[in-house]
PDB file of all heavy atoms in Angstrom:
ATOM      1  N   PRO A  27      92.031  93.771  87.241  1.00 89.00           N
ATOM      2  CA  PRO A  27      92.709  93.748  85.938  1.00 89.00           C
ATOM      3  C   PRO A  27      92.047  94.724  84.972  1.00 89.00           C
ATOM      4  O   PRO A  27      90.827  94.901  84.988  1.00 89.00           O
ATOM      5  CB  PRO A  27      92.521  92.296  85.468  1.00 89.00           C
ATOM      6  CG  PRO A  27      92.202  91.517  86.688  1.00 89.00           C
ATOM      7  CD  PRO A  27      91.499  92.448  87.623  1.00 89.00           C
ATOM      8  N   ALA A  28      92.861  95.370  84.143  1.00 89.00           N
ATOM      9  CA  ALA A  28      92.326  96.354  83.202  1.00 89.00           C
ATOM     10  C   ALA A  28      93.241  96.466  81.989  1.00 89.00           C
ATOM     11  O   ALA A  28      94.467  96.410  82.133  1.00 89.00           O
ATOM     12  CB  ALA A  28      92.184  97.718  83.880  1.00 89.00           C
ATOM     13  N   PRO A  29      92.670  96.665  80.804  1.00 91.00           N
ATOM     14  CA  PRO A  29      93.474  96.834  79.588  1.00 91.00           C
ATOM     15  C   PRO A  29      93.856  98.294  79.385  1.00 91.00           C
ATOM     16  O   PRO A  29      93.748  98.837  78.277  1.00 91.00           O
ATOM     17  CB  PRO A  29      92.527  96.343  78.498  1.00 91.00           C
ATOM     18  CG  PRO A  29      91.175  96.745  78.990  1.00 91.00           C
ATOM     19  CD  PRO A  29      91.222  96.621  80.505  1.00 91.00           C
ATOM     20  N   THR A  30      94.299  98.966  80.446  1.00 91.00           N
ATOM     21  CA  THR A  30      94.506 100.404  80.424  1.00 91.00           C
ATOM     22  C   THR A  30      95.961 100.750  80.741  1.00 91.00           C
ATOM     23  O   THR A  30      96.742  99.916  81.203  1.00 91.00           O
ATOM     24  CB  THR A  30      93.601 101.090  81.457  1.00 91.00           C
ATOM     25  OG1 THR A  30      93.851 100.504  82.755  1.00 91.00           O
ATOM     26  CG2 THR A  30      92.144 100.930  81.113  1.00 91.00           C
ATOM     27  N   ARG A  31      96.293 102.015  80.512  1.00 94.00           N
ATOM     28  CA  ARG A  31      97.565 102.581  80.937  1.00 94.00           C
ATOM     29  C   ARG A  31      97.222 103.698  81.907  1.00 94.00           C
ATOM     30  O   ARG A  31      96.643 104.710  81.509  1.00 94.00           O
ATOM     31  CB  ARG A  31      98.357 103.120  79.745  1.00 94.00           C
ATOM     32  CG  ARG A  31      98.634 102.083  78.679  1.00 94.00           C
ATOM     33  CD  ARG A  31      99.286 102.714  77.457  1.00 94.00           C
ATOM     34  NE  ARG A  31      99.291 101.796  76.325  1.00 94.00           N
ATOM     35  CZ  ARG A  31      99.719 102.110  75.101  1.00 94.00           C
ATOM     36  NH1 ARG A  31     100.168 103.335  74.853  1.00 94.00           N
ATOM     37  NH2 ARG A  31      99.683 101.216  74.140  1.00 94.00           N
ATOM     38  N   GLU A  32      97.561 103.510  83.161  1.00 94.00           N
ATOM     39  CA  GLU A  32      97.116 104.457  84.176  1.00 94.00           C
ATOM     40  C   GLU A  32      98.202 104.684  85.218  1.00 94.00           C
ATOM     41  O   GLU A  32      99.025 103.804  85.498  1.00 94.00           O
ATOM     42  CB  GLU A  32      95.845 103.946  84.856  1.00 94.00           C
ATOM     43  CG  GLU A  32      96.044 102.644  85.605  1.00 94.00           C
ATOM     44  CD  GLU A  32      94.734 102.024  86.083  1.00 94.00           C
ATOM     45  OE1 GLU A  32      93.791 101.946  85.276  1.00 94.00           O
ATOM     46  OE2 GLU A  32      94.685 101.617  87.257  1.00 94.00           O
ATOM     47  N   CYS A  33      98.203 105.877  85.790  1.00 95.00           N
ATOM     48  CA  CYS A  33      99.101 106.237  86.882  1.00 95.00           C
ATOM     49  C   CYS A  33      98.270 106.885  87.985  1.00 95.00           C
ATOM     50  O   CYS A  33      97.226 107.484  87.718  1.00 95.00           O
ATOM     51  CB  CYS A  33     100.179 107.204  86.412  1.00 95.00           C
ATOM     52  SG  CYS A  33     101.276 106.558  85.128  1.00 95.00           S
ATOM     53  N   SER A  34      98.739 106.765  89.209  1.00 95.00           N
ATOM     54  CA  SER A  34      98.008 107.377  90.317  1.00 95.00           C
ATOM     55  C   SER A  34      98.983 107.825  91.394  1.00 95.00           C
ATOM     56  O   SER A  34     100.122 107.346  91.481  1.00 95.00           O
ATOM     57  CB  SER A  34      96.986 106.393  90.906  1.00 95.00           C
ATOM     58  OG  SER A  34      97.646 105.293  91.509  1.00 95.00           O
ATOM     59  N   LEU A  35      98.513 108.742  92.223  1.00 97.00           N
ATOM     60  CA  LEU A  35      99.284 109.250  93.350  1.00 97.00           C
ATOM     61  C   LEU A  35      98.412 109.243  94.590  1.00 97.00           C
ATOM     62  O   LEU A  35      97.329 109.829  94.601  1.00 97.00           O
ATOM     63  CB  LEU A  35      99.770 110.682  93.064  1.00 97.00           C
ATOM     64  CG  LEU A  35     100.377 111.452  94.248  1.00 97.00           C
ATOM     65  CD1 LEU A  35     101.640 110.778  94.751  1.00 97.00           C
ATOM     66  CD2 LEU A  35     100.665 112.904  93.851  1.00 97.00           C
ATOM     67  N   VAL A  36      98.878 108.568  95.637  1.00 98.00           N
ATOM     68  CA  VAL A  36      98.274 108.630  96.966  1.00 98.00           C
ATOM     69  C   VAL A  36      99.264 109.369  97.852  1.00 98.00           C
ATOM     70  O   VAL A  36     100.398 108.913  98.054  1.00 98.00           O
ATOM     71  CB  VAL A  36      97.984 107.226  97.531  1.00 98.00           C
ATOM     72  CG1 VAL A  36      97.512 107.324  98.980  1.00 98.00           C
ATOM     73  CG2 VAL A  36      96.948 106.510  96.684  1.00 98.00           C
ATOM     74  N   ALA A  37      98.871 110.533  98.351  1.00 98.00           N
ATOM     75  CA  ALA A  37      99.766 111.368  99.153  1.00 98.00           C
ATOM     76  C   ALA A  37      99.085 111.708 100.469  1.00 98.00           C
ATOM     77  O   ALA A  37      97.942 112.171 100.481  1.00 98.00           O
ATOM     78  CB  ALA A  37     100.130 112.645  98.391  1.00 98.00           C
ATOM     79  N   VAL A  38      99.800 111.485 101.583  1.00 98.00           N
ATOM     80  CA  VAL A  38      99.201 111.630 102.910  1.00 98.00           C
ATOM     81  C   VAL A  38     100.132 112.430 103.815  1.00 98.00           C
ATOM     82  O   VAL A  38     101.346 112.181 103.859  1.00 98.00           O
ATOM     83  CB  VAL A  38      98.933 110.242 103.546  1.00 98.00           C
ATOM     84  CG1 VAL A  38      98.260 110.392 104.905  1.00 98.00           C
ATOM     85  CG2 VAL A  38      98.086 109.383 102.613  1.00 98.00           C
ATOM     86  N   HIS A  39      99.543 113.377 104.542  1.00 98.00           N
ATOM     87  CA  HIS A  39     100.252 114.174 105.541  1.00 98.00           C
ATOM     88  C   HIS A  39      99.635 113.861 106.902  1.00 98.00           C
ATOM     89  O   HIS A  39      98.414 114.003 107.087  1.00 98.00           O
ATOM     90  CB  HIS A  39     100.109 115.668 105.216  1.00 98.00           C
ATOM     91  CG  HIS A  39     100.644 116.589 106.271  1.00 98.00           C
ATOM     92  ND1 HIS A  39     101.888 117.190 106.188  1.00 98.00           N
ATOM     93  CD2 HIS A  39     100.091 117.026 107.434  1.00 98.00           C
ATOM     94  CE1 HIS A  39     102.074 117.948 107.242  1.00 98.00           C
ATOM     95  NE2 HIS A  39     101.004 117.874 108.020  1.00 98.00           N
ATOM     96  N   LEU A  40     100.476 113.456 107.871  1.00 98.00           N
ATOM     97  CA  LEU A  40      99.998 113.069 109.193  1.00 98.00           C
ATOM     98  C   LEU A  40     100.495 114.050 110.244  1.00 98.00           C
ATOM     99  O   LEU A  40     101.708 114.284 110.367  1.00 98.00           O
ATOM    100  CB  LEU A  40     100.475 111.657 109.554  1.00 98.00           C
ATOM    101  CG  LEU A  40     100.032 110.516 108.631  1.00 98.00           C
ATOM    102  CD1 LEU A  40     100.667 109.198 109.059  1.00 98.00           C
ATOM    103  CD2 LEU A  40      98.512 110.397 108.605  1.00 98.00           C
ATOM    104  N   ASP A  41      99.549 114.606 111.015  1.00 98.00           N
ATOM    105  CA  ASP A  41      99.909 115.474 112.130  1.00 98.00           C
ATOM    106  C   ASP A  41     100.138 114.631 113.385  1.00 98.00           C
ATOM    107  O   ASP A  41     100.174 113.401 113.334  1.00 98.00           O
ATOM    108  CB  ASP A  41      98.808 116.513 112.350  1.00 98.00           C
ATOM    109  CG  ASP A  41      98.802 117.586 111.263  1.00 98.00           C
ATOM    110  OD1 ASP A  41      99.868 117.837 110.671  1.00 98.00           O
ATOM    111  OD2 ASP A  41      97.721 118.154 110.990  1.00 98.00           O
ATOM    112  N   GLN A  42     100.264 115.287 114.511  1.00 98.00           N
ATOM    113  CA  GLN A  42     100.619 114.606 115.761  1.00 98.00           C
ATOM    114  C   GLN A  42      99.617 113.502 116.101  1.00 98.00           C
ATOM    115  O   GLN A  42      98.397 113.699 116.075  1.00 98.00           O
ATOM    116  CB  GLN A  42     100.672 115.621 116.907  1.00 98.00           C
ATOM    117  CG  GLN A  42     101.062 115.034 118.252  1.00 98.00           C
ATOM    118  CD  GLN A  42     101.204 116.099 119.321  1.00 98.00           C
ATOM    119  OE1 GLN A  42     101.305 117.289 119.015  1.00 98.00           O
ATOM    120  NE2 GLN A  42     101.210 115.688 120.570  1.00 98.00           N
ATOM    121  N   ASP A  43     100.168 112.317 116.422  1.00 98.00           N
ATOM    122  CA  ASP A  43      99.378 111.149 116.851  1.00 98.00           C
ATOM    123  C   ASP A  43      98.338 110.717 115.817  1.00 98.00           C
ATOM    124  O   ASP A  43      97.405 109.966 116.153  1.00 98.00           O
ATOM    125  CB  ASP A  43      98.689 111.416 118.193  1.00 98.00           C
ATOM    126  CG  ASP A  43      99.676 111.597 119.333  1.00 98.00           C
ATOM    127  OD1 ASP A  43     100.705 110.898 119.335  1.00 98.00           O
ATOM    128  OD2 ASP A  43      99.450 112.448 120.207  1.00 98.00           O
ATOM    129  N   ALA A  44      98.468 111.160 114.588  1.00 98.00           N
ATOM    130  CA  ALA A  44      97.544 110.718 113.539  1.00 98.00           C
ATOM    131  C   ALA A  44      97.947 109.333 113.041  1.00 98.00           C
ATOM    132  O   ALA A  44      99.112 108.928 113.145  1.00 98.00           O
ATOM    133  CB  ALA A  44      97.552 111.714 112.385  1.00 98.00           C
ATOM    134  N   ARG A  45      96.957 108.614 112.466  1.00 98.00           N
ATOM    135  CA  ARG A  45      97.211 107.264 111.974  1.00 98.00           C
ATOM    136  C   ARG A  45      96.648 107.107 110.557  1.00 98.00           C
ATOM    137  O   ARG A  45      95.566 107.613 110.253  1.00 98.00           O
ATOM    138  CB  ARG A  45      96.566 106.217 112.885  1.00 98.00           C
ATOM    139  CG  ARG A  45      97.164 106.166 114.273  1.00 98.00           C
ATOM    140  CD  ARG A  45      96.673 104.952 115.043  1.00 98.00           C
ATOM    141  NE  ARG A  45      97.284 104.876 116.354  1.00 98.00           N
ATOM    142  CZ  ARG A  45      97.172 103.836 117.173  1.00 98.00           C
ATOM    143  NH1 ARG A  45      96.409 102.799 116.798  1.00 98.00           N
ATOM    144  NH2 ARG A  45      97.761 103.825 118.350  1.00 98.00           N
ATOM    145  N   TYR A  46      97.408 106.380 109.767  1.00 98.00           N
ATOM    146  CA  TYR A  46      96.978 106.072 108.398  1.00 98.00           C
ATOM    147  C   TYR A  46      97.298 104.619 108.111  1.00 98.00           C
ATOM    148  O   TYR A  46      98.422 104.158 108.335  1.00 98.00           O
ATOM    149  CB  TYR A  46      97.681 106.980 107.393  1.00 98.00           C
ATOM    150  CG  TYR A  46      97.406 106.630 105.944  1.00 98.00           C
ATOM    151  CD1 TYR A  46      96.131 106.809 105.404  1.00 98.00           C
ATOM    152  CD2 TYR A  46      98.400 106.134 105.118  1.00 98.00           C
ATOM    153  CE1 TYR A  46      95.870 106.492 104.078  1.00 98.00           C
ATOM    154  CE2 TYR A  46      98.145 105.821 103.787  1.00 98.00           C
ATOM    155  CZ  TYR A  46      96.883 105.999 103.279  1.00 98.00           C
ATOM    156  OH  TYR A  46      96.617 105.692 101.965  1.00 98.00           O
ATOM    157  N   GLU A  47      96.290 103.886 107.634  1.00 96.00           N
ATOM    158  CA  GLU A  47      96.455 102.479 107.292  1.00 96.00           C
ATOM    159  C   GLU A  47      96.017 102.279 105.851  1.00 96.00           C
ATOM    160  O   GLU A  47      94.849 102.506 105.516  1.00 96.00           O
ATOM    161  CB  GLU A  47      95.608 101.589 108.218  1.00 96.00           C
ATOM    162  CG  GLU A  47      95.893 101.777 109.707  1.00 96.00           C
ATOM    163  CD  GLU A  47      94.851 101.070 110.569  1.00 96.00           C
ATOM    164  OE1 GLU A  47      94.078 100.256 110.018  1.00 96.00           O
ATOM    165  OE2 GLU A  47      94.819 101.339 111.778  1.00 96.00           O
ATOM    166  N   LEU A  48      96.949 101.865 105.009  1.00 96.00           N
ATOM    167  CA  LEU A  48      96.641 101.580 103.606  1.00 96.00           C
ATOM    168  C   LEU A  48      96.761 100.087 103.364  1.00 96.00           C
ATOM    169  O   LEU A  48      97.793  99.476 103.651  1.00 96.00           O
ATOM    170  CB  LEU A  48      97.603 102.329 102.670  1.00 96.00           C
ATOM    171  CG  LEU A  48      97.518 101.961 101.182  1.00 96.00           C
ATOM    172  CD1 LEU A  48      96.154 102.332 100.615  1.00 96.00           C
ATOM    173  CD2 LEU A  48      98.626 102.637 100.394  1.00 96.00           C
ATOM    174  N   ALA A  49      95.692  99.485 102.831  1.00 93.00           N
ATOM    175  CA  ALA A  49      95.720  98.093 102.391  1.00 93.00           C
ATOM    176  C   ALA A  49      95.316  98.076 100.927  1.00 93.00           C
ATOM    177  O   ALA A  49      94.226  98.539 100.573  1.00 93.00           O
ATOM    178  CB  ALA A  49      94.770  97.237 103.227  1.00 93.00           C
ATOM    179  N   GLN A  50      96.163  97.543 100.082  1.00 92.00           N
ATOM    180  CA  GLN A  50      95.967  97.644  98.636  1.00 92.00           C
ATOM    181  C   GLN A  50      96.162  96.282  97.980  1.00 92.00           C
ATOM    182  O   GLN A  50      97.162  95.607  98.224  1.00 92.00           O
ATOM    183  CB  GLN A  50      96.982  98.652  98.069  1.00 92.00           C
ATOM    184  CG  GLN A  50      96.961  98.808  96.576  1.00 92.00           C
ATOM    185  CD  GLN A  50      97.865  99.933  96.117  1.00 92.00           C
ATOM    186  OE1 GLN A  50      97.453 101.081  96.060  1.00 92.00           O
ATOM    187  NE2 GLN A  50      99.112  99.626  95.804  1.00 92.00           N
ATOM    188  N   SER A  51      95.198  95.879  97.174  1.00 90.00           N
ATOM    189  CA  SER A  51      95.351  94.664  96.370  1.00 90.00           C
ATOM    190  C   SER A  51      95.330  95.072  94.904  1.00 90.00           C
ATOM    191  O   SER A  51      94.470  95.844  94.480  1.00 90.00           O
ATOM    192  CB  SER A  51      94.242  93.659  96.660  1.00 90.00           C
ATOM    193  OG  SER A  51      92.991  94.118  96.207  1.00 90.00           O
ATOM    194  N   CYS A  52      96.293  94.566  94.145  1.00 89.00           N
ATOM    195  CA  CYS A  52      96.471  95.003  92.763  1.00 89.00           C
ATOM    196  C   CYS A  52      96.508  93.808  91.818  1.00 89.00           C
ATOM    197  O   CYS A  52      97.184  92.810  92.091  1.00 89.00           O
ATOM    198  CB  CYS A  52      97.781  95.769  92.592  1.00 89.00           C
ATOM    199  SG  CYS A  52      98.000  97.174  93.680  1.00 89.00           S
ATOM    200  N   ARG A  53      95.797  93.932  90.748  1.00 86.00           N
ATOM    201  CA  ARG A  53      96.031  93.126  89.569  1.00 86.00           C
ATOM    202  C   ARG A  53      96.680  94.030  88.536  1.00 86.00           C
ATOM    203  O   ARG A  53      96.686  95.240  88.673  1.00 86.00           O
ATOM    204  CB  ARG A  53      94.721  92.530  89.061  1.00 86.00           C
ATOM    205  CG  ARG A  53      94.055  91.599  90.068  1.00 86.00           C
ATOM    206  CD  ARG A  53      94.877  90.342  90.331  1.00 86.00           C
ATOM    207  NE  ARG A  53      95.105  89.563  89.111  1.00 86.00           N
ATOM    208  CZ  ARG A  53      94.284  88.626  88.664  1.00 86.00           C
ATOM    209  NH1 ARG A  53      93.166  88.355  89.331  1.00 86.00           N
ATOM    210  NH2 ARG A  53      94.558  87.958  87.557  1.00 86.00           N
ATOM    211  N   GLY A  54      97.190  93.453  87.501  1.00 84.00           N
ATOM    212  CA  GLY A  54      97.934  94.242  86.552  1.00 84.00           C
ATOM    213  C   GLY A  54      97.055  94.915  85.519  1.00 84.00           C
ATOM    214  O   GLY A  54      95.851  94.695  85.428  1.00 84.00           O
ATOM    215  N   ALA A  55      97.683  95.763  84.733  1.00 92.00           N
ATOM    216  CA  ALA A  55      97.056  96.417  83.591  1.00 92.00           C
ATOM    217  C   ALA A  55      98.083  96.400  82.466  1.00 92.00           C
ATOM    218  O   ALA A  55      99.184  95.868  82.616  1.00 92.00           O
ATOM    219  CB  ALA A  55      96.646  97.840  83.942  1.00 92.00           C
ATOM    220  N   GLU A  56      97.721  96.992  81.338  1.00 94.00           N
ATOM    221  CA  GLU A  56      98.736  97.124  80.293  1.00 94.00           C
ATOM    222  C   GLU A  56      99.921  97.923  80.841  1.00 94.00           C
ATOM    223  O   GLU A  56     101.078  97.600  80.584  1.00 94.00           O
ATOM    224  CB  GLU A  56      98.141  97.802  79.060  1.00 94.00           C
ATOM    225  CG  GLU A  56      99.120  97.875  77.901  1.00 94.00           C
ATOM    226  CD  GLU A  56      98.509  98.518  76.673  1.00 94.00           C
ATOM    227  OE1 GLU A  56      97.263  98.625  76.599  1.00 94.00           O
ATOM    228  OE2 GLU A  56      99.288  98.920  75.787  1.00 94.00           O
ATOM    229  N   LEU A  57      99.610  98.960  81.624  1.00 95.00           N
ATOM    230  CA  LEU A  57     100.607  99.692  82.397  1.00 95.00           C
ATOM    231  C   LEU A  57      99.893 100.294  83.590  1.00 95.00           C
ATOM    232  O   LEU A  57      98.920 101.019  83.416  1.00 95.00           O
ATOM    233  CB  LEU A  57     101.271 100.780  81.550  1.00 95.00           C
ATOM    234  CG  LEU A  57     102.425 101.563  82.192  1.00 95.00           C
ATOM    235  CD1 LEU A  57     103.371 102.068  81.115  1.00 95.00           C
ATOM    236  CD2 LEU A  57     101.929 102.734  83.041  1.00 95.00           C
ATOM    237  N   ARG A  58     100.362  99.979  84.784  1.00 95.00           N
ATOM    238  CA  ARG A  58      99.760 100.536  86.003  1.00 95.00           C
ATOM    239  C   ARG A  58     100.883 100.986  86.931  1.00 95.00           C
ATOM    240  O   ARG A  58     101.753 100.199  87.293  1.00 95.00           O
ATOM    241  CB  ARG A  58      98.862  99.515  86.682  1.00 95.00           C
ATOM    242  CG  ARG A  58      98.272 100.001  88.020  1.00 95.00           C
ATOM    243  CD  ARG A  58      97.215  99.031  88.533  1.00 95.00           C
ATOM    244  NE  ARG A  58      95.943  99.253  87.856  1.00 95.00           N
ATOM    245  CZ  ARG A  58      95.031  98.295  87.660  1.00 95.00           C
ATOM    246  NH1 ARG A  58      95.258  97.059  88.050  1.00 95.00           N
ATOM    247  NH2 ARG A  58      93.892  98.592  87.048  1.00 95.00           N
ATOM    248  N   ARG A  59     100.837 102.236  87.311  1.00 96.00           N
ATOM    249  CA  ARG A  59     101.858 102.832  88.178  1.00 96.00           C
ATOM    250  C   ARG A  59     101.169 103.456  89.388  1.00 96.00           C
ATOM    251  O   ARG A  59     100.272 104.294  89.248  1.00 96.00           O
ATOM    252  CB  ARG A  59     102.632 103.891  87.393  1.00 96.00           C
ATOM    253  CG  ARG A  59     103.454 104.871  88.215  1.00 96.00           C
ATOM    254  CD  ARG A  59     104.810 104.338  88.584  1.00 96.00           C
ATOM    255  NE  ARG A  59     105.631 105.404  89.175  1.00 96.00           N
ATOM    256  CZ  ARG A  59     106.926 105.539  88.986  1.00 96.00           C
ATOM    257  NH1 ARG A  59     107.583 104.668  88.232  1.00 96.00           N
ATOM    258  NH2 ARG A  59     107.602 106.500  89.568  1.00 96.00           N
ATOM    259  N   ASN A  60     101.588 103.068  90.600  1.00 96.00           N
ATOM    260  CA  ASN A  60     101.066 103.628  91.834  1.00 96.00           C
ATOM    261  C   ASN A  60     102.201 104.312  92.588  1.00 96.00           C
ATOM    262  O   ASN A  60     103.179 103.662  92.968  1.00 96.00           O
ATOM    263  CB  ASN A  60     100.487 102.534  92.739  1.00 96.00           C
ATOM    264  CG  ASN A  60      99.298 101.822  92.132  1.00 96.00           C
ATOM    265  OD1 ASN A  60      98.404 102.464  91.588  1.00 96.00           O
ATOM    266  ND2 ASN A  60      99.273 100.504  92.218  1.00 96.00           N
ATOM    267  N   ASP A  61     102.091 105.623  92.802  1.00 97.00           N
ATOM    268  CA  ASP A  61     103.010 106.334  93.688  1.00 97.00           C
ATOM    269  C   ASP A  61     102.299 106.576  95.010  1.00 97.00           C
ATOM    270  O   ASP A  61     101.177 107.098  95.036  1.00 97.00           O
ATOM    271  CB  ASP A  61     103.428 107.665  93.061  1.00 97.00           C
ATOM    272  CG  ASP A  61     104.506 107.493  92.017  1.00 97.00           C
ATOM    273  OD1 ASP A  61     105.689 107.532  92.388  1.00 97.00           O
ATOM    274  OD2 ASP A  61     104.165 107.317  90.836  1.00 97.00           O
TER     275      ASP A  61
END
């Protein structure tokens, strides 16, 4: 939790047979945006 206004970008490019695992836990903020 945070009293902030924040935005973020997580961008991933996967080549052949590559693997990506994202696990995300979120609490809120005054404004929180995740792309």
Side-chain angles (χ1 to χ4, degrees):
T30 56
R31 303 174 192 175
E32 63 190 47
C33 298
S34 66
L35 169 63
V36 173
V38 182
H39 172 99
L40 300 176
D41 287 333
Q42 181 176 344
D43 295 323
R45 295 191 178 189
Y46 174 68
E47 304 169 13
L48 172 64
Q50 177 173 273
S51 68
C52 305
R53 298 294 301 272
E56 184 179 344
L57 185 153
R58 176 171 280 152
R59 164 84 171 217
N60 297 315
D61 280 271

